Amino acid sequence: MTLGPEIRAEMEQIKQRYPDPRSALLPMLHLVQSVQSEVTTEGMALCADVLSITPAEVAAVATFYTMYKRRPVGKHHIGVCTNTLCGLLGGDAVYAALSERLGVGHDESTPDGKFWLERIECQAACTHAPVMTVDWEFMDQQTPASAIDVIDQLARGEEVRSTRGPVIRNFTATERTLAFPDDGLAGEGPVADELMLAGLRVAQERGMSAPTAGQGN
Amino acid sequence: MTLTPVITAHWDRPDLYTLAGYRAIGGYTALAKALQQEPDAIISTVKDTGLRGRGGAGFPTGLKWSFVPQNDGKPHYLVVNADESEPGACKDIPIMMATPHTLIEGVIISSYAIRANHAFIYIRGEVPQAIRRVAAAVREAEQAGLLGDNILGSGFNLRVTIHSGAGAYICGEETALLDSLEGRRGQPRLKPPFPAVAGLYASPTVVNNVETICNVPFIVNNGVEWFRKFGTEKSPGFKVFAISGHVNRPGIYEAPLGVTMRELLDYAGGMRGGRPVKFWLPGGSSVPMLTAEHLDLPLTYEEMAAAGTMLGTGTPMLFDDTVSVVRAVTRWLEFYKHESCGKCTPCREGTYWITGVLERFEHGHGSAAEIDTLVDLCDQIGGRSFCALGDAAATPYPAALKYFRNEFEAGTSQAAELEFAPAASYLFSEATAR
C-alpha cells in the first residue's frame, strides 16, 4: 500500500504533539509500519519531507531501533523473550518449538507472510515468565505446547486473546496504536492479573496494611 | 517486616484504570491540595521525605528537582522514564496498566512543582496495553479539566504527551531517552550539563521514573512524617518489588524498604519444590548477583551497597540450583552486546569480546587464562563509557566469578549443559512441554 495524503495529514497531526517537530519521528515511523508492515524507503522519504530533514537522517534513526523492520513483517509478529530469566525458565524451549513449527529462525518471516519470529529482549514481564508476545500484546506464562496452540489458532483465523490485553488483531494494527494510542481498547484485559495481585492477596490474607497518616507504626 | 500496599492497595478494583474508579479511592485529592501550595513548598516536602529515584540509581528526587533553575525564562519539561527494559525489572509496566491515573496525578503535581507546562511520558513501544491505559487516562483527565489550561482554577496549565519508543534498552538512560524523544538515535550525552540545566530541547528538564512519580500524590496527601514511617533513614519509603524466577508465587509485592529478601521470598511462597536459592539479583541484571547467604540483608540502598551490589530497580530475580551461572551470565552479556548503542568504543567492542569468550566457556571451550582475561576486559569497560550501560555490562561476570569460579573453571573442559541440563530450569516439565 502506498502512503497517501491522509498519512501525510496524520504525520502533520503527530507533529502538533511536540514543541519541536522532529520529536514526531518515532511515532511517524510506527505509522509508516502500520501501513506498509515495514519501514520502506518511500516511508523514510515521506518522514524526511514532512520534517524537513534529510532521508539519511531518517534512515539513521530507522536502523537504530529494533522495532523498525526493513522487510515486511507480515500478518503477525511473534516475539519470544530469550533473555536470561525467561529464556532459562523455558523461553528457549518455547522459541525452539515455534521455530521448528514455523520453519523460520530469528527475524525471519514465513513464506506465506503470516508470521515473523523474533527472539526479543526483556519485555518487562519477568514475573510472567516465560513470556511471548503476539503483535506486541502480552501472551504470558507460555509452554512450548501453549505457544504452538496460539500459532495454530491464529493460522486458522480463530480468535486469540492476549493474557493482559485485547483480542489479537495484527501487526500493523498495533503499529497504528503506537502512533495513535487512544484506540478504544484500554479497557481490554484485566486491570491486574493474579501475578500483579500476588502481594496484595497475601497482605489481605494476613491482615497487613500500610500505616495511614497519623497512625503509629 | 509486613507488606504495605500503597501504590498497589486498590489493584483489585476492576475499574481502577478509569477516572471514576480512581476518584472512588480518593484519586486527585492530592492534586487539589498541591495546587493550593507554592511550587517550592512541594519541592521542599519531597526533599524532606528523602524519596530516592526508583529507576535504579536512587538519586534523591527532591534534590534533582531543586537543580532546575527558576525564573530563567526558558520552558521547563518533566519527562517520565517509562522505558522499563532492564532485565528483571517489571514493576513500572504493571503500575501503568493497573493505576495509570496515579501516574498522571503525580505528573501534574511534579510538573507544577518544577514549573513545567509540558510533560512527556516516554513508554517503551513493546507494551501497547500499558500505552493505551496511560493514553486513555490522559484523555479522561483532559476532559475533566485536570489537564489543559487553568487546572482546577489554579491558573496552572499543563499538556501531557504520550510518546512510544521503538525498542532500545539504552533509551532508559536519561540522556539517551532525551535524544530519542528529540527524534534521534538513542545515544547518551556527555554530562555535564545535566538535564536539569540543559535537557529536552536544551531546556531545564527533570527525568523521573514511573514509580518515583507515583510516590508524589501519596506524599502530598500524607506528609513527610508518614512517608518516613516506612524504610530507613537513608532509604525511606515503600517499594513496589517485582519478584521473579524460581519462586512459587512470582509477582508484585509492595513493602517498606528494609524488608529482607527472605521475608519477601516467604510471601512469594518460597522456592519451587523447596530447592535452594543459588543466586539472586536485587534489582536487574545490571547489579552484581548475591547468594543465599545474603537473604537476610535489608533491601535498602545502603545495605545493598555494603554487600557489594545495588538495590537497582528493586525487582529481585531468584535462580535455583538447576541454573548454570555461566549460561545466565553469557545470556546477559548477549543482551548488553545487542543493546550497546555503539557510541563508546569500550562498550561497543568490549561487549562483543566478552560475549564471544563467555560463549566458549558455556560450550566447554574456555581456557584457564581467559578467566582472568575476562576480568581485565570488564575493567576496561567499567567507568570508560559515557553511560551506565558500559558499567552494567562489566558487572555480571566479576560477580559470578566471585561466587562460582568453579563453574567457569569447569567451562574449560565441559559444556554447561552437561552439569546443568537446560530443561531442569524450565517452569514446565518436559512431559508437558509438547
Side-chain angles (χ1 to χ4, degrees), chain A residues 106-180:
Chain A
H106 170 65
D107 261 356
E108 290 177 2
S109 54
T110 55
D112 63 4
K114 273 194 176 155
F115 297 103
W116 172 291
L117 183 64
E118 183 173 342
R119 295 168 60 119
I120 58 173
E121 296 298 355
C122 187
Q123 180 66 18
C126 316
T127 43
H128 295 65
V131 168
M132 172 167 102
T133 57
V134 177
D135 305 327
W136 297 114
E137 309 289 357
F138 283 116
M139 297 300 293
D140 302 315
Q141 292 185 303
Q142 294 296 310
T143 68
S146 67
I148 282 179
D149 278 350
V150 167
I151 298 296
D152 288 351
Q153 285 164 13
L154 290 170
R156 292 195 296 267
E158 293 170 16
E159 184 177 295
V160 173
R161 179 172 279 279
S162 159
T163 50
R164 282 187 289 161
V167 169
I168 300 299
R169 301 173 298 165
N170 55 53
F171 173 73
T172 54
T174 297
E175 284 294 318
R176 182 160 180 92
T177 296
L178 298 181
F180 290 94

Side-chain angles (χ1 to χ4, degrees), chain B residues 280 282 287-291 293-311 399 402-403:
Chain B
W280 63 284
V287 310
M289 63 174 60
L290 296 172
T291 64
E293 66 183 278
H294 304 104
L295 289 173
D296 292 311
L297 295 175
L299 290 165
T300 60
Y301 297 97
E302 61 274 17
E303 291 288 345
M304 290 296 104
T309 184
M310 290 182 285
L311 183 65
K402 180 171 157 192
Y403 299 114

